[in-house]
Amino acid sequence: MNISAVLLAGGESRRMGRDKATVLLRGKPLWQIQIELLRKLEPAEIFVSARTDPSWRPADVQFVADDPPSRGALSGLAASMLKVRTTHLLALAIDMPFMSENYLRYLYDHIEPGTGVVPTIDNSAEPLAAIYPREANADFRSALAGTDFSLQSLTGRLIEVGKLREVRVKDQERKLFLNVNALADLATL
């Protein structure tokens, strides 16, 4: 894939009680599951976005510091957009370990020059498993400079101006978007 990819790992993990990235699922830490998934796609470059450079970051993965003050995933995406050398940036959350290579390739097949893609479930965007065009960089900067740091708001605006296209998530695909926010979530999986 001729795109860049970012693993978003900048959350505070308050509900988890410890760094989500190091939580084990099926014997592997979440960061490893996600990095391995991104590597299968063979992007031109892989970033890890976090508040500080994580000790687990592989040497061949570039660190991107969240723009302070942190505004959650918006900060990580905005900082990563500035580093992109390709036309698009694939974003993937650290706590979405059920995402599949096939689904991310499906999203890739729906991008066009200047237009990315965001999955939607029940009219709600899934911005942490989406592909953004480099042309959205100014929109990310503008959102950071404003007072509304919601990725739902930003993706809505990007859809309105044609920089993102919605892809409806089918019922059988919903499980790909399950995320792990608390240790109790692991017990139910």
Side-chain angles (χ1 to χ4, degrees), residues 50-185:
R51 294 169 189 254
T52 59
D53 193 353
S55 60
W56 49 261
R57 179 183 57 86
D60 64 331
V61 173
Q62 300 173 56
F63 169 64
V64 177
D66 287 1
D67 281 345
S70 182
R71 305 294 186 212
L74 175 63
S75 293
L77 282 167
S80 298
M81 290 294 289
L82 289 173
K83 303 280 187 186
V84 169
R85 292 181 294 135
T86 61
T87 61
H88 290 79
L89 176 67
L90 165 66
L92 181 62
I94 192 86
D95 61 358
M96 208 177 284
F98 304 106
M99 185 51 61
S100 74
E101 177 185 358
N102 286 342
Y103 191 80
L104 293 177
R105 288 188 185 281
Y106 167 77
L107 292 181
Y108 178 78
D109 289 342
H110 285 80
I111 64 173
E112 294 179 0
T115 305
V117 63
V118 62
T120 58
I121 297 176
D122 299 331
N123 298 317
S124 182
E126 291 292 337
L128 302 184
I131 302 176
Y132 298 93
R134 188 172 45 206
E135 289 80 358
N137 184 28
D139 302 274
F140 278 93
R141 309 294 331 146
S142 178
L144 267 185
T147 57
D148 181 359
F149 307 118
S150 163
L151 281 176
Q152 291 296 320
S153 298
L154 176 58
T155 54
R157 287 191 299 274
L158 291 171
I159 290 166
E160 284 175 18
V161 299
K163 292 180 184 175
L164 278 183
R165 175 181 305 118
E166 292 178 89
V167 172
R168 302 267 179 222
V169 175
K170 298 175 183 130
D171 286 342
Q172 65 270 27
E173 297 166 336
R174 286 177 179 239
K175 65 183 181 286
L176 300 174
F177 295 88
L178 294 174
N179 58 13
V180 179
N181 286 312
L183 289 174
D185 293 341

Side-chain angles (χ1 to χ4, degrees), residues 30-48:
L30 293 182
W31 73 262
Q32 186 177 358
I33 292 168
Q34 298 303 68
I35 290 288
E36 286 175 0
L37 172 58
L38 292 176
R39 282 191 172 133
K40 288 177 186 175
L41 301 173
E42 298 180 352
E45 55 195 353
I46 299 177
F47 306 111
V48 168

